[in-house]
Amino acid sequence: MSKTTSDSSKKIDTRRHAMMFAALGDDTRLKILVKLRSGTPQSIKQLSADLPVTRQAVTRHLRVLEEANFVAQEIHGRERRFVACSEAISEAHDVLNVIAQQWEDALVRLKSFTERK
């Protein structure tokens, strides 16, 4: 069962978003996403080129990113190529904005409370 919190117009699926941010919480996965930001589909070989991990490790990281909807794969002949999914990145950005606004609201309330004393 997914725990949700409502904002003025959005529902936040905390379980799904925790999975998304866990996927982003790894240095290698972030490097892979940075490599994919050009929008050009890239093979595992291309993505592994400058990383200090094996192709098998890159494959595992891509699987995690794919499960979190940050990347999708395309088949080109016998080769799989990966692309970044801007929708998931935008969704993560939106969630962070909601959280930032909640903190901002809390700080305003705290400031108001302390100034009344």
Side-chain angles (χ1 to χ4, degrees), residues 34-96:
V34 167
K35 286 182 165 207
L36 291 172
R37 73 179 169 200
S38 69
T40 304
Q42 295 185 48
S43 68
I44 292 172
K45 180 179 178 182
Q46 291 168 311
L47 292 169
S48 302
D50 298 329
L51 295 175
V53 295
T54 65
R55 287 186 194 173
Q56 291 80 11
V58 170
T59 300
R60 288 191 299 274
H61 285 297
L62 284 165
R63 219 174 289 133
V64 172
L65 289 169
E66 192 171 25
E67 288 173 7
N69 297 320
F70 285 113
V71 301
Q73 61 178 295
E74 302 172 347
I75 306 295
H76 294 269
R78 295 182 334 178
E79 186 176 63
R80 292 183 296 157
R81 294 185 190 160
F82 294 83
V83 293
C85 297
S86 60
E87 300 84 20
I89 295 168
S90 293
E91 182 180 354
H93 182 265
D94 292 346
V95 170
L96 289 174

